[in-house]
Amino acid sequence: GGHDALVGKIEEMGLQVHCGARTESFVGADGSTDNESMSPVSALRFSNEGWDDLEVQMVVVSAGIKPRDDLARGAGINTGERGGIIVDDQLRTSVEGVYAIGEIALYNNFIYGLIAPGYDMAGVCSKVIAKEELGIDLNIDELPSFTGADLSTKLKLLGCDVASFGENQPKPDDTDVSNLVWNDPLGGIYRKLIFNKAGTRLRGGILVGDASDYSKLHALAMKGGELPDNPAILLAPPSARGEVEEEELSTDPNTQICSCNDVTRGQIADTIKELGAEKATLKEVKACSKAGTGCGGCEPDVKAILKQELEKMGASLSNHLCEHFAYSRPELMALVRTDSDPSSVDSFEKILAKHGKGDGCEICKPAVGSILASIYNGVILDEGRDSLQDTNDRSLANMQRGGSYSVVPRVPGGEITAEQLIQLGKTAKKYGLYSKITGAQRVDLFGAAKYQLPDIWEELGSVGLESGHAYGKALRTVKSCVGSTWCRYGVQDSVSFAVRVENRYKGVRSPHKMKSAVSGCIRECAEAQGKDFGMIATENGYNLYLGGNGGTNPVHAQLFATNIDEDTVIKYLDRYIGYYILTADRLERTAPWQARLPNGKNGGGPIEHLKEVIIEDSLGICDELDRRMQHLVDTYHDEWAEVVKDPARRAKFKQFINTDENQTREQMIEFVDMRGQLRPANWPADGQPQTNWKPEEDVFSRSEKTWKSVGKVSDFAPNVGSTILYGESQLAVFNNEKRGEWYCTQNMCPHKQAFVLSQGIIGDDSGTPKVACPLHKKQFALEDGHQLDGDLSLITFPVKIVGDNVMVELPSEEEVNAILGTHGLRVKHSSSGCVDISNDPLEKEILNGVAGLTNATFART
């Protein structure tokens, strides 16, 4: 059963499986079989009776693991007959003071080749060494022991789920066994669950083809737990039940949740307990534990842990968008879209006044900006909407390390002309951009300065290349194979359909990014079942799959409809995407959104509910969904074309408000050669020179200052930051029109010394005006520069308005350049060296005049 299911899955991919083969020899092209000949291999010969030679051009031998114990053997440490260092229950070897763990350790004549037993060994060994070798009092009565480990595991074999857990091969004389088997050769799924005779305990199992409920079954087998009255309910795979099983977070406190900052589940839980139910908000937990403050990929897990821990404390996790809106995103979307007076909710300021409070923040502003784009679809840079956009949307490009940007044109369905390829090459060469083909069948050009973007897009637009929306929470791409137009296996023109789908939904803003694909046959080369929505061609049309995604937590899409024509696919997708836009939470992908939808009226899980809503119109909203999607399609605009043709929009990309001078990317971060292209130098690790800038006092306290005009009020857009150049120093000026206040700070983020702060979203935190750094969302108070969620700080300067002039109180250019000059703060490759800025006489004089700066970190190159 399991064998047949796995072989079937593998052979669907065009591979051939020969089971029971007994290899006798490799046959060389010269007919030799003695392994002495240098002739290349041409065949495999078997000892199986009646088997012919198998012609091959290459042989890959995969034969498990073998401990590399040569060093131990040479040192006289006892090893096993077939390899491995012999250890006892405390992982001691035969030589005093020497221990072995992991795949090299031979315990009870067994090698554990999995990571989990290695962790168990490490836990035992570390305590033994601490107590016996280092003499540390661990306050334990007896030494811990390693007595074996759980060999349960879940793997993907050529894309097919394979898992085993618990006692999956009971001994022949074991009579307390009752097996339940699910064998679906058509779906390629095999499941065997092993219970005790009474059916009260799950002992183990084998899963092939669908192991999405592995975590739940493994926990039942290893930790016990009450089984359903009818244990056979566990046998059917979730895909057959129409369910999406979400992997449960491990309850082990030692499980790493945040890999960026090495934070475990236990540390997050401890932080929540210390804060208490009233203060344990997601924001506070992230700030105190540092989990989720790096790349942000683990934030959903941090939120899930917070929810679980609060429930243990008798509290609950608020679904409020942030402190400024006491609504979730779906609730706020409903309020806006159903308002009887649309003109009263067509801007952030109006929505905030009607349904919120305060100034807003980096959470609610992009969320409301997305809602406005999904309903009205105006140009996101117009009428103050640029102040709502997150880092990338405001620049219509993805900010990269060092503050440069990437350029990603749309290539519908992966189809591109020779003229477009030539222009991409010319543009990349002209601006020195690093070029890379993406996994989404597009070309990325990296390393552009923001002020260069309009010129770059003007050149690309000349050959019909449009914005790829790689920067937005919108449709990214519709990937395709070549389909029936070229492939001998293709049954539908997948490229043409992919182009049609991508051109229909391009630019549609949604709660999170969306990806799609069209495969021209069942071989699934475009990986449509791993996308938010995907289509696989059949002889009679397309099978439509919904709710898949890759990323940190991959989810397989679910089959929604079979053998439907292109127009029907489009109709269903209009409604699916529309329903998602109206009801999903902020930054929620389609897969988790779909998983938390209710079951169908007759069961079958969320996919049946979607069929009822989209096909049967059970909620009576299909007309609205159709109408809203058609509005988005009809009002599509290429955002970069809108910028290129309009001088006022182009002006938003000017580098400095007060001068036409530009500072190049190389002036802000060193670029190094990589295989003939240039990339920015690696950031030093946190805590190293050129990171974590921490002035503790007013650096310029003894400096003579004068008020300098840096521009007209009309030069500075409201409720956003703008950059000015003072000498060779970049300063950020923020016009908080809502409060009638102005602020000026250094433009360099002190965390990674990137000149980007003016691009951050401004708002307030419990009434304190702030800016969120666009790189890692670190929060800084605008009035005095201190970090709200850490211990870094900014240098700030007073601002006043005199008539129509914006005035900033500043020391001399020489003094400001000595501390904030771009040349000195430029991040350089680690091999270039880094020195303390106080080595310069003027810098030293300034710093020596500031008490309390002895321990501050001022890193310059």
Side-chain angles (χ1 to χ4, degrees), residues 158-211:
L158 296 175
C160 178
D161 280 350
V162 180
S164 65
F165 59 92
E167 302 173 73
N168 54 72
Q169 291 182 315
K171 295 179 180 179
D173 59 353
D174 189 342
T175 58
D176 191 24
V177 174
S178 182
N179 297 327
L180 291 180
V181 175
W182 177 286
N183 190 8
D184 175 11
L186 296 178
I189 297 174
Y190 172 87
R191 291 159 66 92
K192 179 180 181 180
L193 298 184
I194 302 166
F195 299 87
N196 63 353
K197 275 286 188 185
T200 58
R201 183 168 65 89
L202 178 62
R203 295 180 57 179
I206 297 172
L207 311 173
V208 177
D210 186 345

Side-chain angles (χ1 to χ4, degrees), residues 715-762:
D715 294 334
F716 296 85
N719 301 315
V720 295
S722 304
T723 316
I724 62 171
L725 188 64
Y726 184 63
E728 67 155 23
S729 302
Q730 294 191 24
L731 305 180
V733 176
F734 300 91
N735 173 12
N736 192 332
E737 186 179 66
K738 186 175 187 302
R739 286 175 174 256
E741 297 173 355
W742 292 72
Y743 321 96
C744 181
T745 74
Q746 66 194 56
N747 192 40
M748 181 198 75
C749 171
H751 177 215
K752 291 296 187 181
Q753 292 192 192
F755 299 87
V756 297
L757 275 179
S758 65
Q759 302 303 298
I761 294 177
I762 67 172

Side-chain angles (χ1 to χ4, degrees), residues 90 92 127-128 131-132 136-145:
Q90 278 72 44
R92 304 184 189 95
K127 292 182 176 67
V128 173
K131 184 174 177 62
E132 290 197 341
I136 299 173
D137 183 8
L138 301 179
N139 194 28
I140 55 178
D141 295 331
E142 58 183 40
L143 287 174
S145 298

Side-chain angles (χ1 to χ4, degrees), residues 324-369:
H324 305 102
F325 288 96
Y327 303 99
S328 66
R329 182 200 173 275
E331 290 168 342
L332 190 59
M333 167 63 88
L335 289 171
V336 174
R337 88 175 214 264
T338 61
D339 198 295
S340 59
D341 180 10
S343 65
S344 69
V345 287
D346 60 2
S347 71
F348 176 79
E349 291 73 23
K350 293 176 182 179
I351 294 172
L352 185 67
K354 196 165 189 175
H355 300 295
K357 62 180 182 179
D359 296 351
C361 65
E362 77 286 353
I363 295 174
C364 63
K365 283 188 173 183
V368 172

